[in-house]
Amino acid sequence: MKIIQILRSRGVEVIITENARKEIERFRDAHVSQALSADERSGVIFFGGFQDKRAAGLAFHHVAILKEEDIMKDVISAYNHAKSKSDMIFASSSPSKSADIEGKLIFGMHGPKKFTVIVEVRK
Amino acid sequence: MNIYGALEQGSIREGVLRTLMNLRDVILKTLNDHPYLLEYADEVRNAKLRVAEDFDYWIDRSMEVLEKRGCHVYLAENAEKARRIAGEMVGSGKTVVKAKSMVSEEIRLREYLQSLGNEVWETDLGEFIVQVADDRPMHMIVPALHYSEAQVMEILKKVGIHGRDAEELASGVREFMREKFLKADVGVSGCNAFSAETGRVFLVENEGNIRLSTSLPERYIALVSIEKILPDDDLALKSVFVQSAYVGTFPPAYININEKADSQEMHVIFLDNGRKTTEFREHLACIKCGRCQLECPVFQLAGSLWGGEVYGGPTGMVWTAITEEIPEVCFLSTLCGKCREVCPSDIDMPGMIRKMREIILKAR
Amino acid sequence: MIAPRLLSEILEKNMKKTENPLGLKNERINRWWTGEGIEKDGEWLFFTGMLYQLIPYMDSATRYLEKLETTKLQGVLTLSKIIPVPFSLIDSMVSHKMKKRSDRILKGIYRALMKSGVKVFYVPELDTYSGIILHDMGMERAFREHAETVAERLNDAGINRIVTADPHTAYALKILYPEYTGSDIQVKSYLELVRPFNAGSDGKFVIHDPCYYGRYLRISEKIRKVLDGFGVSYRDVKYSKNLTNCCGGPIESISPSVSWKIAELRIEELGKSGILTFCPICLMNLSRAGGDVSDFAEVIMP
């Protein structure tokens, strides 16, 4: 899956598993969201719901559970797939970052410093 | 400071060139790896020009959709009306957290809300630095590019934020701003793209400040200049994708697709301010990625100081003509055509700058 | 910045008087062809547009305007009816070396065309400034009138093919004249017509693409083929071809200081030595900023 490489290349921790439930045990201090869909090409991951959006924004560590079957071929399909399941869609693709001070890249500006994606593959 | 001051100072030039070096290869690689973005750019340009041909229809439609969804909606013909409306919604004695927005600069919103007795914070790191320094954004997307790490260190001391490097300073700002986010009464944002189909406000960012500014406060105000209106969600999403690609931060770390939430009051102010009647209509296809600014030789020397009160550089020359008046400094353009060459919307800025010159000379 | 109105008034007066922006008579500045044994008839009319001939004078005028740029004097001058640029003074300041160099470049282009087997001819009376600065300045009416005069003259002389020496004139004649005057004369840059011959060029060059060739006329690839054909050794910088950076020249009269800073920016990327270009404005402005610049015609000079 191309998306795994893409996410890893930008500092996202990616875990591939057949059982996501087992994996989230490890992330008790993080905010865990169920992803609604993702764009294979850009690595943009869609979520939904106002409360989840606030919590994901405030968290220091955001963990997403993404099902393999929710990975779509392009961003428009991914967005529409997410929209069919929830309102208040929002998307993340990397940890929070900024390069506003002399172009120096720092992570964890206002949002999560760490972003983990657990990709649940079919058994 | 004017252009000549900028030429002498040199820090603007250093900052613009540094930013360009950091971003130019990333932009080219993004477009190479994601060729569909060029098609998106074309679709967005065409859709924007279509909307600009019949703003009244699209504004009506947008306002109707928003009202149905329980939002408070306003249409402001000019900057003054827009800030008045926002001022009435905010009142006084409030804490306001703001996302970076050039349109809010255009209507001097922060200054106005402060004058009403509110505490107003720019939450984007670069824009926050500019606010504390009492300066103006030097670039549309990278507003503090003209400051060195050492200068930022000095500037942030004013608000009690200390640090020895970018990492520590950023962490100080995170802490400082977190408190403001949590106590804020009102959140204000601009809009990167608006869907007339669903009334959704699309905003892209990397820091996470927009997500917090627009979802934590109980009252949310979105300022939407009318050229941001697109017919539907898909086009709005394409627009923000293209914008982030052309500024070299693709994909955006965050895409916020804001809409009315049950627990939040949402106000949307549509701003005209010269857009509906401008003779520079082609420029309404500009998605404000700021790439032409970085690539322009005059901007590389003078930043946004080459422009009007708010907007600078090639795109800023035309935005100034639309929202203020034609800036006489448009005569400093070399018409080298680089702006159009790198523009995702292929906007003929050199042609419009010549047109501006014609108008200025005719008025003699 | 020189007040645009002041500049436009000067330009308009000068153009009316002499058909060129500096108010200098064409007969006086256009001497490159004397003793050259030019053909009076042929297939392609060589049309220099006077730009190469003008640059020695522009260089002097720019040095004068640079002094004027930051003074308050220009405000007063705008109101007066006196033409504030002392052209007689400028004339006396012009470097003979530069005049000779311009003439040599034009000879080089003409000879290169001859040597390439192009049936080129030259009629000094038909050659004049294209008016491009009027267009750039937004002086639409003045540009149109001038373009119509020139196009009509060419038409009356039965000209149907023109070969140009510089990118600004090429753009004016090829793109703007058809639009403004309905002229249907075929226009090509000499770079599109020359065929490689043994020129014995040496040296290593870095290319500075003029904006008008790189973007407006899009012939950068063609130019490289010509260079390859001539065996010229060159390298490209990152900002080349359609992404080339400006030399600052086009604003040399409205703001000599900004123009000069832009040239410095470009020199930073190109380096100072071995710059190769194809435009008199680039040649002048990059040289002013300290670059060692050659025109292509000098490199292949037959």
Side-chain angles (χ1 to χ4, degrees):
Chain A
M1 275 178 286
K2 195 177 143 198
I3 192 169
I4 293 164
Q5 231 104 50
I6 288 175
L7 288 168
R8 280 186 179 146
S9 74
R10 62 175 82 113
V12 180
E13 180 186 29
V14 182
I15 297 164
I16 304 152
T17 178
E18 288 181 355
N19 186 351
R21 226 170 236 282
K22 234 167 82 185
E23 295 294 332
I24 54 173
E25 299 280 308
R26 294 202 272 143
F27 301 112
R28 269 195 213 126
D29 296 330
H31 174 74
V32 181
S33 307
Q34 180 65 52
L36 301 175
S37 66
D39 167 21
E40 167 97 64
R41 294 194 291 201
S42 67
V44 166
I45 299 169
F46 289 97
F47 306 92
F50 196 51
Q51 290 318 316
D52 198 30
K53 181 177 181 176
R54 296 169 82 158
L58 284 166
F60 188 76
H61 185 185
H62 185 206
V63 179
I65 302 169
L66 173 65
K67 287 188 181 147
E68 190 185 353
E69 61 262 34
D70 290 326
I71 301 172
M72 303 285 135
K73 65 176 193 342
D74 61 55
V75 70
I76 300 299
S77 317
Y79 173 60
N80 284 298
H81 186 58
K83 223 165 49 164
S84 70
K85 296 196 260 189
S86 172
D87 60 0
M88 192 63 77
I89 305 298
F90 62 101
S92 302
S93 74
S94 88
S96 152
K97 59 191 175 184
S98 175
D100 276 351
I101 300 177
E102 219 186 276
K104 294 178 177 169
L105 185 65
I106 60 101
F107 289 98
M109 188 53 235
H110 291 294
K113 188 164 188 158
K114 224 179 142 192
F115 185 40
T116 301
V117 178
I118 303 172
V119 181
E120 194 172 56
V121 291
R122 293 181 200 93
K123 279 175 199 165
Chain B
M1 204 195 326
N2 64 13
I3 291 181
Y4 294 102
L7 292 183
E8 291 311 312
Q9 206 189 30
S11 70
I12 293 175
R13 168 180 166 159
E14 269 171 44
V16 176
L17 292 177
R18 179 178 58 231
T19 309
L20 177 65
M21 295 307 144
N22 286 344
L23 298 176
R24 62 178 183 187
D25 292 343
V26 184
I27 297 170
L28 296 178
K29 188 179 180 325
T30 299
L31 298 178
N32 190 51
D33 293 351
H34 302 269
Y36 58 91
L37 289 170
L38 299 173
E39 283 163 39
Y40 285 8
D42 243 21
E43 285 176 55
V44 170
R45 174 193 154 94
N46 294 338
K48 277 185 173 257
L49 293 177
R50 203 166 75 234
V51 170
E53 265 167 39
D54 197 359
F55 268 135
D56 287 334
Y57 167 80
W58 290 102
I59 293 168
D60 278 354
R61 203 185 146 125
S62 303
M63 293 180 82
E64 212 173 284
V65 169
L66 286 166
E67 268 163 12
K68 264 191 203 147
R69 303 193 69 176
C71 297
H72 303 267
V73 199
Y74 317 83
L75 174 60
E77 294 120 67
N78 56 40
E80 198 195 334
K81 284 191 180 154
R83 57 177 177 257
R84 284 256 171 89
I85 294 165
E88 271 167 36
M89 284 181 276
V90 173
S92 63
K94 305 278 179 19
T95 299
V96 181
V97 282
K98 263 191 87 266
K100 173 166 65 73
S101 149
M102 284 310 292
V103 173
S104 80
E105 296 284 322
E106 184 185 318
I107 68 165
R108 317 289 194 279
L109 185 59
R110 183 179 71 239
E111 294 83 347
Y112 181 71
L113 294 178
Q114 281 170 331
S115 77
L116 296 179
N118 296 292
E119 187 185 327
V120 187
W121 295 104
E122 294 290 348
T123 59
D124 170 82
L125 176 59
E127 191 71 17
F128 175 62
I129 294 165
V130 167
Q131 177 186 12
V132 177
D134 196 19
D135 199 354
R136 60 181 278 178
M138 206 47 76
H139 179 267
M140 281 178 167
I141 309 288
V142 199
L145 56 72
H146 55 310
Y147 291 124
S148 67
E149 192 176 40
Q151 284 172 309
V152 173
M153 218 177 280
E154 281 308 305
I155 292 164
L156 292 181
K157 275 181 191 164
K158 280 201 231 172
V159 282
I161 295 170
H162 300 273
R164 285 165 301 183
D165 55 25
E167 182 91 39
E168 285 185 14
L169 291 166
S171 141
V173 172
R174 178 185 170 107
E175 208 175 303
F176 177 93
M177 210 57 84
R178 201 37 89 91
E179 184 222 326
K180 315 292 177 202
F181 282 130
L182 293 172
K183 73 165 189 183
D185 304 290
V186 184
V188 176
S189 79
C191 169
N192 297 129
F194 178 87
S195 162
E197 177 195 18
T198 62
R200 292 188 169 107
V201 174
F202 287 67
L203 288 154
V204 284
E205 57 161 337
N206 290 307
E207 296 184 1
N209 63 306
I210 301 184
R211 184 154 292 175
L212 296 177
S213 298
T214 62
S215 70
L216 293 179
E218 280 177 14
R219 187 172 290 177
Y220 166 43
I221 303 170
L223 192 55
V224 181
S225 53
I226 55 176
E227 90 283 3
K228 301 288 168 55
I229 300 174
L230 282 160
D232 57 42
D233 282 25
D234 289 2
L235 280 161
L237 186 57
K238 285 174 180 175
S239 175
V240 298
F241 245 44
V242 174
Q243 185 187 6
S244 81
Y246 275 80
V247 77
T249 59
F250 181 85
Y254 302 116
I255 305 173
N256 303 289
I257 305 168
N258 292 343
E259 56 188 297
K260 173 83 179 74
D262 291 341
S263 57
Q264 193 185 47
E265 205 179 278
M266 181 168 171
H267 300 259
V268 179
I269 306 171
F270 287 99
L271 177 72
D272 176 351
N273 208 25
R275 289 165 172 82
K276 233 194 257 183
T277 52
T278 183
E279 63 186 294
F280 303 108
R281 187 186 278 173
E282 186 193 359
H283 204 65
L284 298 173
C286 170
I287 52 170
K288 290 187 180 160
C289 63
R291 188 179 178 209
C292 63
Q293 295 183 311
L294 296 177
E295 294 278 2
C296 166
V298 186
F299 188 88
Q300 286 173 356
L301 296 171
S304 278
L305 296 180
W306 178 50
E309 297 281 320
V310 177
Y311 297 105
T315 180
M317 215 51 57
V318 194
W319 279 118
T320 302
I322 295 170
T323 62
E324 293 175 37
E325 57 176 3
I326 295 175
E328 196 172 72
V329 287
C330 71
F331 279 94
L332 288 180
S333 163
T334 68
L335 303 178
C336 79
K338 188 78 165 288
C339 46
R340 182 177 187 176
E341 191 70 25
V342 300
C343 174
S345 308
D346 186 31
I347 296 172
D348 184 11
M349 287 171 265
M352 284 187 272
I353 288 172
R354 273 196 308 99
K355 182 80 197 165
M356 288 181 207
R357 293 174 176 183
E358 190 189 339
I359 295 170
I360 288 180
L361 291 177
K362 265 195 189 147
R364 71 182 169 190
Chain C
M1 191 169 87
I2 304 290
R5 265 163 223 147
L6 173 66
L7 193 62
S8 73
E9 274 169 26
I10 297 172
L11 289 172
E12 200 163 348
K13 271 182 196 157
N14 286 342
M15 287 294 292
K16 280 232 169 82
K17 209 170 71 185
T18 64
E19 288 197 356
N20 85 51
L22 288 178
L24 301 161
K25 286 210 165 91
N26 283 343
E27 306 89 84
R28 238 187 67 216
I29 60 169
N30 189 27
R31 307 301 303 164
W32 71 269
W33 52 275
T34 50
E36 193 56 27
I38 45 163
E39 298 292 328
K40 285 281 177 193
D41 206 358
E43 264 179 42
W44 293 86
L45 174 73
F46 186 46
F47 192 91
T48 73
M50 297 294 147
L51 217 51
Y52 274 103
Q53 294 92 320
L54 280 167
I55 56 161
Y57 301 89
M58 284 183 186
D59 192 59
S60 306
T62 304
R63 268 182 275 150
Y64 174 81
L65 289 169
E66 194 165 11
K67 289 188 197 113
L68 196 66
E69 184 177 7
T70 46
T71 66
K72 292 210 168 72
L73 188 66
Q74 42 168 321
V76 183
L77 291 172
T78 321
L79 301 171
S80 79
K81 290 284 164 223
I82 314 152
I83 293 179
V85 184
F87 286 99
S88 51
L89 189 71
I90 282 167
D91 201 4
S92 69
M93 282 159 64
V94 168
S95 128
H96 281 276
K97 222 172 120 188
M98 279 184 86
K99 278 198 224 173
K100 276 203 163 144
R101 190 176 180 191
S102 283
D103 286 354
R104 204 177 121 80
I105 291 169
L106 290 170
K107 281 179 208 273
I109 295 171
Y110 188 79
R111 288 181 199 168
L113 285 165
M114 297 276 281
K115 208 163 171 176
S116 301
V118 178
K119 291 196 176 92
V120 61
F121 67 108
Y122 189 63
V123 185
E125 299 74 38
L126 287 177
D127 198 1
T128 193
Y129 182 64
S130 68
I132 187 79
I133 196 173
L134 304 175
H135 181 257
D136 287 353
M137 283 284 291
M139 297 162 68
E140 283 288 286
R141 185 188 44 78
F143 176 69
R144 183 183 302 277
E145 281 172 15
H146 179 71
E148 276 167 356
T149 307
V150 176
E152 200 181 300
R153 194 181 298 152
L154 292 168
N155 250 328
D156 290 350
I159 303 299
N160 42 38
R161 280 179 180 163
I162 280 177
V163 53
T164 58
D166 74 87
H168 294 266
T169 305
Y171 177 72
L173 265 59
K174 189 174 181 147
I175 309 292
L176 299 177
Y177 275 35
E179 190 186 320
Y180 282 77
T181 71
S183 150
D184 59 357
I185 297 172
Q186 190 188 356
V187 179
K188 276 192 190 294
S189 157
Y190 82 92
L191 292 157
E192 296 174 279
L193 291 178
V194 281
R195 299 273 164 274
F197 48 81
N198 196 349
S201 83
D202 48 9
K204 244 181 123 58
F205 297 97
V206 55
I207 298 193
H208 167 74
D209 288 285
C211 298
Y212 276 85
Y213 283 155
R215 282 188 279 273
Y216 287 77
L217 294 167
R218 298 199 174 261
I219 59 166
S220 300
E221 294 299 343
K222 201 155 209 166
I223 288 174
R224 275 150 187 80
K225 275 197 190 130
V226 171
L227 292 173
D228 292 338
F230 275 99
V232 176
S233 159
Y234 64 89
R235 68 181 171 90
D236 277 322
V237 288
K238 196 158 215 156
Y239 283 111
S240 65
K241 301 176 187 173
N242 64 319
L243 288 177
T244 187
N245 277 335
C246 186
C247 70
I251 54 165
E252 75 213 337
S253 50
I254 198 116
S255 176
S257 63
V258 177
S259 171
W260 188 69
K261 291 268 182 194
I262 294 173
E264 272 190 334
L265 273 180
R266 183 57 171 162
I267 295 275
E268 271 174 33
E269 192 189 8
L270 294 168
K272 281 199 171 163
S273 59
I275 300 168
L276 180 60
T277 193
F278 314 83
C279 167
I281 311 251
C282 298
L283 179 66
M284 172 178 80
N285 225 46
L286 294 176
S287 300
R288 272 208 312 148
D292 162 31
V293 194
S294 301
D295 191 279
F296 178 62
E298 295 175 296
V299 174
I300 57 154
M301 187 77 190

